[in-house]
Amino acid sequence: LTSKPMDLTVDASPKEKRSYSLVRAIRAADAKDWSGAGLEFEMSQELAKKQSRQPKGFFVPDFGWQTRTVSTAAGATFGAGANIIPEDYRGDRFIDALIGTSILGQVGATVLNGLQGNVAIPKISTSTAAAFIAEGGSVGNSEPDFAQVTMTPKLLANKISVTRELMIQSDPSVEQLIRNNMVRIFAAKVDNVAIKGGGSNEPTGILSTSGIGDVSTSGTSGNANLTYGNVVDIMTEVAQDNALLGNLRWVTHPAVVGKLMQTLVAASTDSRMIMPSPESMMGYPVVQTTQAPSSVPYALLFGNFADLYVGFFSALDVLVDPYGSAGTATTNLYFYQDMDIAVAHAESFAAAQDVTVA
């Protein structure tokens, strides 16, 4: 049976969405006084009722932290609040960290929101086969084999520390900084586990999923540099499993893109490069990200990313701890999100995971 998705939306008008303040909710939770944050308290309570569970601190509606659409890797450190306290200070010129862009939206992954309990999605693992028969002959029995794609909640968490001075005096708005920082950190980690994962307590991502197509680039010399033939083989692995459909993309590290743009299709006899431009290869879009494996060896991944499922089991839960670092007048913010990753069909993906770029 499949767990029924839960509605995690909040009935809010456009004006209420604009008025929602994450910082106001943090201050209210810190002071244990919600009299000045009635809107935020009501929305947290509504989400708690829909989820049939109480938050560790307070629940944040989707528009309360995802309205900033930039989804990238690790952002600024908030503990060093003095760095952005106004003092002949140009807040409009705030310089963010150099960070890698989230790619799940670009590749067309299937996102499942508001899941409840463990999830089992039925699928046909082996399809039926029709056959011609002689006149008067018996029709064969060819039944499909069924399997399940399962997802169970896994806790993604992070902590940031905010000084009281930062909460009171900061410019640009600490509201935007906290929202953007958490979206970036969470989105980067989701990207990372969706592409590979499989570490301690992590979901299993594509590259760690058993059964995806595997293309070895190692030659007799032991060098694992990609060749034109390797790239064709990766795409062929997906095509021969009838999976060349849906949201087809190449995903790899920028270092691999750079190498492919400098590698000849046929050494010494051809002036064409395997990858003439950074946007596409073999007729399919290329998405480069530093969340892909970024140490030797690298990986080049291809497939139908509609078969990559990203499931969220709860609203964002924020716990405010004013005591853990009270001696330094710092408030610790803990963020929690229950989620999981699943691959609907391993055959929809193929990769070379032994790539070097030397």
Side-chain angles (χ1 to χ4, degrees):
L1 296 178
T2 302
S3 177
K4 182 180 179 181
M6 180 183 295
D7 179 14
L8 292 181
T9 60
V10 174
D11 185 14
S13 67
K15 181 179 180 181
E16 288 175 324
K17 291 181 179 180
R18 290 193 300 270
S19 299
Y20 184 91
S21 170
L22 181 59
V23 168
R24 188 160 58 232
I26 292 171
R27 288 172 177 163
D30 187 5
K32 294 182 173 54
D33 179 7
W34 290 87
S35 60
L39 174 66
E40 291 76 14
F41 181 76
E42 289 177 8
M43 291 184 177
S44 177
Q45 291 295 98
E46 184 175 341
L47 286 169
K49 185 181 298 183
K50 288 186 175 183
Q51 295 180 91
S52 300
R53 60 187 288 192
Q54 289 301 312
K56 300 177 186 294
F58 61 89
F59 284 132
V60 181
D62 56 356
F63 58 81
W65 75 297
Q66 294 177 336
T67 49
R68 306 299 192 269
T69 56
V70 178
S71 300
T72 46
T77 299
F78 288 93
N83 292 332
I84 59 174
I85 294 174
E87 188 176 65
D88 293 332
Y89 170 78
R90 292 295 302 275
D92 59 318
R93 296 289 185 177
F94 178 77
I95 303 172
D96 208 343
L98 293 175
I99 43 188
T101 305
S102 175
I103 57 99
L104 289 184
Q106 299 177 53
V107 299
T110 300
V111 178
L112 306 174
N113 286 307
L115 302 177
Q116 184 180 18
N118 295 343
V119 176
I121 304 172
K123 72 171 185 176
I124 296 177
S125 57
T126 303
S127 63
T128 60
F132 288 96
I133 61 173
E135 183 177 358
S138 298
V139 178
N141 183 19
S142 178
E143 297 177 348
D145 293 330
F146 292 93
Q148 291 181 336
V149 175
T150 59
M151 305 178 81
T152 58
K154 295 174 178 62
L155 185 60
L156 177 62
N158 191 57
K159 181 187 87 169
I160 61 175
S161 298
V162 183
T163 63
R164 292 187 181 276
E165 290 84 357
L166 176 64
M167 295 283 287
I168 296 170
Q169 302 175 19
S170 63
D171 179 32
S173 169
V174 68
E175 175 89 28
Q176 179 177 342
L177 290 178
I178 291 177
R179 288 192 189 193
N180 283 355
N181 183 258
M182 291 316 303
V183 170
R184 292 165 186 233
I185 291 173
F186 272 64
K189 189 58 181 178
V190 171
D191 273 5
N192 181 264
V193 298
I195 295 171
K196 186 167 185 178
S200 178
N201 302 315
E202 290 183 348
T204 299
I206 299 170
L207 294 176
S208 296
T209 297
S210 176
I212 71 167
D214 179 43
V215 174
S216 175
T217 66
S218 298
T220 55
S221 64
N223 292 325
N225 291 324
L226 282 169
T227 65
Y228 181 75
N230 297 146
V231 176
V232 173
D233 287 344
I234 294 171
M235 188 172 65
T236 303
E237 283 281 340
V238 175
Q240 66 187 7
D241 286 325
N242 300 315
L244 205 62
L245 45 82
N247 298 331
L248 294 165
R249 302 286 190 277
W250 297 93
V251 172
T252 192
H253 192 275
V256 178
V257 171
K259 182 65 177 180
L260 289 171
M261 293 182 68
Q262 300 176 68
T263 303
L264 294 170
V265 170
S268 304
T269 63
D270 201 325
S271 60
R272 295 174 300 152
M273 299 298 173
I274 295 176
M275 194 172 176
S277 74
E279 288 82 25
S280 65
M281 183 166 62
M282 301 290 184
Y284 297 103
V286 174
V287 178
Q288 51 183 307
T289 172
T290 54
Q291 298 308 320
S294 56
S295 60
V296 178
Y298 294 87
L300 176 62
L301 171 64
F302 176 74
N304 173 19
F305 281 83
D307 278 349
L308 171 65
Y309 288 4
V310 184
F312 294 96
F313 292 81
S314 70
L316 181 70
D317 192 349
V318 182
L319 175 63
V320 179
D321 173 22
Y323 308 112
S325 303
T328 57
T330 299
T331 296
N332 295 321
L333 306 178
Y334 294 86
F335 295 79
Y336 304 94
Q337 179 83 71
D338 293 299
M339 58 85 60
D340 198 10
I341 301 290
V343 174
H345 292 285
E347 299 85 355
S348 294
F349 298 94
Q353 299 193 55
D354 58 354
V355 178
T356 62
V357 296

